[in-house]
Structures are given as C-alpha cells and as structure tokens.
Amino acid sequence: LVAGNADHGHGHAAMAMPADETVTLGDLDLSAYFVRATLPNQPVAGGFLTITNGGNSDDTLIAATSDAAARIEVHEMAMPVELMKMRALENGLPIPAGETVMLAPGGYHIMFMDLTGPMVEGDKPEVTLTFEKAGKVTLTMPVLARDGTAHDTHHKMSE
C-alpha cells in the first residue's frame, strides 16, 4: 500500500490536469487541452482546448482526427429554451485574428464519435487538428475525470 497517494482528495500528483504546455502552430497558440473520460459503453467523448490567434488574419478549425475515434466533429452546443442541442459546424470553427476561442464544456467542443475504446482517466490520445491557414498540428490530449475530480467515493465516506 502506498501511503498518501490519493487518500485525501487533494494530492495534486494523482489528479490529471489539462495539458500545461502551449503548442504554437503559425499564428495560433493551443493550450489547456484535454478530453473528458467516458462512462462504460459511452460511444462519444468531448475534447476541449483554448485557441489564441495572435496573427492578423482569421483562421478556421476545419477538421480533427484521432486513432481513438472513427470520426471527430467540431461541435457547437446551443441552448435554446429548455433544449440542449449539439450540431456540427459545417464550415468549421472560426478563430478570428487577435482573439481567443475557448472550446469548453457547455460551448464549442471537439466530439469524438464512434470511439475505438473507452477514454480512461490518465490516457493520452493523440488528436490532429487541421486549420484552414495554419495547417495541421497533433496534440496529446490528457483524459480527465468527468467531473474534474477522482471518481472514487472513499473520501466522501470518511468525512
């Protein structure tokens, strides 16, 4: 038994965090990228990141691919009254010049469809993003727990 590993729920080493390095592709800086862990038999997973366009021209995230999923779509989550809708962005996700676009839970996201296997916390699937102007970049996106904390309940029971 390893003492003090994740017993108290606030050990930082044991918790997966979004990637802390920034990947630069042309005028774009990509940061804080991660994938949410999936439930058993869940066929889809959401990927998230922050994209900053430091250049003078607009760019567009037009495609994403990964060995972890049969296909990936760039989605927008819209919340019309009482109904959450997700739809693929047919023309891609615009990244305006000089602006930062966040793909975050509840908003834009990368949707992994027909997963080849579960997204397990601690896994690091590679995802290749294609931008209209900046080109392609491959990110290693850490898989984080669904709620941002460990799934086990032992620390709740011990309180």
Side-chain angles (χ1 to χ4, degrees):
L1 196 81
V2 179
N5 203 357
D7 290 342
H8 306 296
H10 51 251
H12 290 294
M15 274 180 55
M17 302 292 286
D20 58 3
E21 63 262 26
T22 296
V23 174
T24 301
L25 177 71
D27 290 332
L28 305 179
D29 286 331
L30 314 179
S31 60
Y33 37 90
F34 69 96
V35 178
R36 276 268 182 258
T38 55
L39 296 168
N41 302 318
Q42 182 177 325
V44 298
F48 308 97
L49 72 152
T50 299
I51 306 169
T52 300
N53 184 345
N56 299 320
S57 58
D58 297 352
D59 207 337
T60 305
L61 173 60
I62 52 175
T65 57
S66 175
D67 290 343
R71 69 182 198 277
I72 298 181
E73 295 177 354
V74 181
H75 277 204
E76 173 183 38
M77 192 177 283
M79 307 254 334
V81 184
E82 303 295 313
L83 178 69
M84 184 176 84
K85 279 190 2 197
M86 284 196 234
R87 63 185 183 93
L89 295 168
E90 291 177 22
N91 301 315
L93 174 61
I95 315 294
E99 292 190 25
T100 295
V101 176
M102 289 188 70
L103 285 77
Y108 297 116
H109 55 279
I110 297 166
M111 183 59 77
F112 295 76
M113 322 276 282
D114 304 323
L115 294 176
T116 54
M119 292 282 192
V120 178
E121 185 177 7
D123 284 359
K124 294 189 171 168
E126 289 194 347
V127 181
T128 300
L129 303 179
T130 303
F131 294 89
E132 195 172 29
K133 295 195 175 115
K136 291 188 178 186
V137 62
T138 298
L139 302 177
T140 301
M141 298 179 84
V143 177
L144 307 190
R146 294 183 60 78
D147 54 2
T149 61
H151 250 318
D152 50 39
T153 55
H154 67 251
H155 60 274
K156 288 180 186 152
M157 292 165 58
S158 64
E159 286 174 56

